[in-house]
Amino acid sequence: MKIKFDACIYKMQLNDHDIIKDRLLKLINETPYQETIKDNRDPSTKWGSHISRCDWNYNDKKDRDWYKLFYPNFELSVKKLMRESNYDAPLDVEDVWFQQYEKNDSHGWHIHRSQFTGVYYLEFPRGCAQTEIVSPFSNRKRKINAKEGDIIVFPSLWIHRATHNKDKRKTIISFNFNLDITKCIAENDYGGILHFT
């Protein structure tokens, strides 16, 4: 039995996207930490993956130049969103990494660890492959109508994928994070705003 309960996909613009975009792309393109992901499944199928460039194996390195530019803007944006969504708790970011998709690249269906995951669309020309997410209640797929500069955040256990990319390169930054709710000191009995120290 499935019991329907409200949940949502959050969407917002990254703080100062227009100011940092070009510099961030330059730092990503120059990074010494990079790899190609190609799994053993056929990338033309819904389960296959091929990602031209990423730095997944360095996802916890905080000394990456692009990370140092990106993170303060990310933290400011996500903390504001979480506060407005009654999750006013400290962020515990576990992983942050970039992925670049060239023509025909894709990322098959998968889930993440942590409480929340998401995508920042750093370089996202019109017509690039969208993120597709499956509702855990209805099992229906939904493409997220995002534009360049947007961040989407959703529960990590939701199944999602990046569909096949067309001609123009797409660059995203992905992340996984938890909220430290151990700092909670009070909760309204009607489910209102939580208060944290």
Side-chain angles (χ1 to χ4, degrees):
M1 174 187 286
K2 293 182 179 178
I3 299 171
K4 190 171 184 178
F5 194 78
D6 287 343
C8 60
I9 299 165
Y10 304 96
K11 185 172 84 167
M12 77 207 110
Q13 276 275 301
L14 179 79
N15 182 64
D16 288 340
H17 165 75
D18 292 333
I19 295 171
I20 68 169
K21 175 193 168 183
D22 291 340
R23 191 161 153 233
L24 194 50
L25 273 172
K26 183 175 185 295
L27 291 171
I28 284 173
N29 290 332
E30 293 172 350
T31 184
Y33 308 114
Q34 58 181 293
E35 60 194 300
T36 297
I37 291 180
K38 183 175 181 180
D39 65 23
N40 294 324
R41 297 168 292 189
D42 181 353
S44 67
T45 71
K46 62 185 177 181
W47 297 104
S49 296
H50 188 281
I51 301 166
S52 289
R53 288 184 71 235
C54 73
D55 64 349
W56 163 250
N57 283 328
Y58 306 93
N59 61 59
D60 59 348
K61 287 182 68 69
K62 294 182 170 49
D63 64 345
R64 291 169 291 171
D65 290 336
W66 72 261
Y67 175 91
K68 290 186 278 189
L69 176 61
F70 166 73
Y71 189 79
N73 295 282
F74 166 78
E75 184 180 43
L76 186 65
S77 302
V78 171
K79 278 187 171 180
K80 181 177 185 290
L81 172 74
M82 293 290 102
R83 246 189 335 272
E84 291 170 357
S85 304
N86 295 339
Y87 286 116
D88 192 8
L91 289 181
D92 173 20
V93 178
E94 290 194 321
D95 312 291
V96 180
W97 69 101
F98 77 81
Q99 294 181 177
Q100 286 188 319
Y101 295 81
E102 301 288 354
K103 183 177 180 179
N104 293 325
D105 281 358
S106 65
H107 195 171
W109 293 112
H110 63 285
I111 61 174
H112 289 231
R113 62 181 177 179
S114 306
Q115 296 166 345
F116 293 94
T117 190
V119 178
Y120 162 49
Y121 299 90
L122 169 58
E123 182 180 37
F124 197 60
R126 187 179 298 277
C128 279
Q130 296 173 303
T131 302
E132 200 168 47
I133 300 177
V134 174
S135 162
F137 181 76
S138 68
N139 293 327
R140 290 187 181 151
K141 297 181 290 188
R142 176 174 179 165
K143 287 185 178 176
I144 305 305
N145 184 21
K147 63 183 183 299
E148 191 171 277
D150 279 349
I151 297 176
I152 60 169
V153 175
F154 54 95
S156 294
L157 58 82
W158 285 14
I159 301 169
H160 60 286
R161 69 174 175 174
T163 56
H164 282 82
N165 199 39
K166 295 184 180 176
D167 295 334
K168 296 179 180 175
R169 186 180 71 179
K170 173 177 89 170
T171 304
I172 62 154
I173 294 175
S174 288
F175 47 85
N176 298 323
F177 69 87
N178 296 307
L179 296 171
D180 185 0
I181 61 169
T182 60
K183 306 260 191 263
C184 179
I185 58 171
E187 178 181 359
N188 293 329
D189 57 12
Y190 58 85
I193 294 175
L194 303 178
H195 303 282
F196 295 84
T197 57

